[in-house]
Amino acid sequence: MAFAARALAQTFPSQSPPSQSPPPLSTSDGRAPRLRDDSSIDVDQMRSGLRGADSQSQGSNYGAPLPKTKLPKRYPPARTHAGAPRQPKNPLPALEAYKSSAVARRLARMRRKEGDPAPEIPPTVAAPQTIRAKARPKVETNPYDPVGIGIGSLRLTPFIETSTGYDSNPDRLSSTSNPTGSKLFRADAGFKLRSDWARDDFQADMRLGYADYFDYQQANRPDGAGAFSGRYEITRDTSFVTAGRFTLDTQRPGAPAISSGLPNVTVINRPIIFSVGTSDGVTQKFNRLEVTLRGSFDRTMYQDAYYSDGTSLDLVSTDFNDYGVSGRVAYEVSPALKPFAEATYDTRIHDAYRDPWGYARDSDGVAARAGAEIKISDLLRGESSGGYAERSYKDIRLPQLRGPTVDAALIYTPTPLTTATLRIATTLNETTVQNASGALTHTVTGQLSHDLLRNLTVSAVGSYFTNNYQGADILEKGYTAGVKLEYKITRSVAVKASYSHERLTSNTAGDDYTANVFLVGLRIQE
């Protein structure tokens, strides 16, 4: 307060006489005194006086102000950018709403179209997108298997295979006939068809082939086989099942059914045998119990045999139709075991009531078998059964054709690189051998395959069969042994080589034979 009074006195010296002291700033009771009307103070002059006094006090205490210092230039100089803002090389991922937020639920209900801008998400309910782990590449189990061609929901795998080699006995003649070996060229074509349906199923396989013998033209022959199977589920427990099949083969000139019986008369062609058939039915499930009823039809046709003396054997008249019905009951004990029992009845009716030798060969047959379907993981799977079958002929001179039956189709995979296959089949075949009702045939086929490399497979194959002509006392036994090698260059190209040794013995003179076959070929598949 004293400093303010001195400043007022210096600012306004003429408004009070020199001998007159300034008015007191306060009275004895502590209150501010009243100013007289003629002693009014100019506020602006008072403020300017305060600023002057302050500057005088600064000058006397701190000296002259310091000069301004010039700062150095920035290094490196700041970069300037003109145009649109730069985009980062790796931009941050867009935000996504919390899964439990109302925004996330609202976005889940929205139906966005392709090309619509991404919705804006408020930062209060947003988080960076979750970085998903990169999926590990899948390892293909069979990287050299064909991919196939997609036809809708079906997968078609066609193939063409050509091979050339040498056959030591093209017509499978007895050693007494001095068989002549020949170079040969063989061509095969076919396909596999598989469905990719969720409930129903369809599969088909077909192969057709032809062998051309350069040095022995009368041994040229076709062959082939095919089959298909399908299942259509009408309801959860009821399904329609269907199957079809065909075979194309030829008879060897030394077979008992077409032998002339004369020492110097031989068959000069290979008569063709063609068979085609189908079976359809319904399968009904009662919990674990499964019942199947099928009807079947098969047609078998023969080609005439021609002899070296100009005569022929009428085999066309022996063509026949086979009508049959079968029932099967199975119970699933577990996913690895399903026992079953099956019974079949069929009748065969020939185009001609009597064959060339005067026998009436129309017949009725019954068969029954029991077995089980096995599936022990991928180690062992398949089906095996045993039973009994017999056929009765219209001609009383022909005995019943009967005998035990064994059928099996098993696949054993001890390691991922090794696979063993076993097939056993029993069939009751027609014949034109005099006094014989038919041939009871048992066949056992086995194959062991091992992958030396992922694209190199070696296989050992073998088979054994017997033909028992009941009524004629003819028994044939034969076997085949060989080895195969397959090298897959790509999924579509493979090189193949094989060797097989065939041997047949018979209690009838002149029917046995031996043959060795060498083949090297190329397989092209899609």
Side-chain angles (χ1 to χ4, degrees), residues 345-366:
Y345 170 80
D346 71 298
T347 180
R348 294 176 181 175
I349 301 176
H350 292 74
D351 292 354
Y353 184 72
R354 297 188 181 276
D355 69 358
W357 310 110
Y359 291 91
R361 295 195 173 274
D362 291 350
S363 63
D364 298 324
V366 293

Side-chain angles (χ1 to χ4, degrees), residues 288 331-339 373 375:
R288 292 190 177 187
Y331 183 79
E332 186 178 7
V333 178
S334 68
L337 180 63
K338 182 190 288 187
E373 296 180 13
K375 186 178 181 181

Side-chain angles (χ1 to χ4, degrees), residues 175-189:
S175 57
T176 58
S177 301
N178 298 321
T180 302
S182 173
K183 298 183 291 295
L184 68 99
F185 175 81
R186 180 176 179 82
D188 293 88

Side-chain angles (χ1 to χ4, degrees), residues 328 335-340 369 371-385 407-413 420-424:
R328 178 183 177 121
L337 180 63
K338 182 190 288 187
F340 69 88
R369 64 185 183 121
E373 296 180 13
I374 304 172
K375 186 178 181 181
I376 306 176
S377 67
D378 290 333
L379 188 65
L380 178 65
R381 61 186 186 276
E383 176 182 305
S384 62
S385 65
D407 298 275
L410 300 173
I411 300 176
Y412 176 59
T413 310
T421 304
L422 176 65
R423 297 183 183 276
I424 304 175

Side-chain angles (χ1 to χ4, degrees), residues 115-175:
D116 290 350
E120 295 185 2
I121 302 174
T124 54
V125 295
Q129 289 184 356
T130 304
I131 300 177
R132 295 176 176 85
K134 186 177 181 181
R136 301 180 63 179
K138 295 183 179 179
V139 179
E140 293 191 44
T141 307
N142 301 308
Y144 287 91
D145 282 359
V147 178
I149 303 172
I151 305 176
S153 58
L154 301 175
R155 179 64 57 176
L156 176 66
T157 308
F159 72 89
I160 298 176
E161 184 176 334
T162 60
S163 55
T164 184
Y166 180 81
D167 191 336
S168 63
N169 190 354
D171 252 347
R172 306 299 185 261
L173 300 175
S174 173
S175 57

Side-chain angles (χ1 to χ4, degrees), residues 86 109 113 133 145 149 154 169 209 231 233 259 288 290 296 379 432 442 454 458 513:
R86 292 182 178 178
R109 294 191 298 267
K113 298 181 180 179
D145 282 359
I149 303 172
L154 301 175
N169 190 354
R231 184 189 74 254
E233 296 189 4
S259 176
R288 292 190 177 187
E290 184 178 289
S296 64
L379 188 65
T432 55
H442 294 278
R454 300 186 75 180
V458 60
Y513 69 85

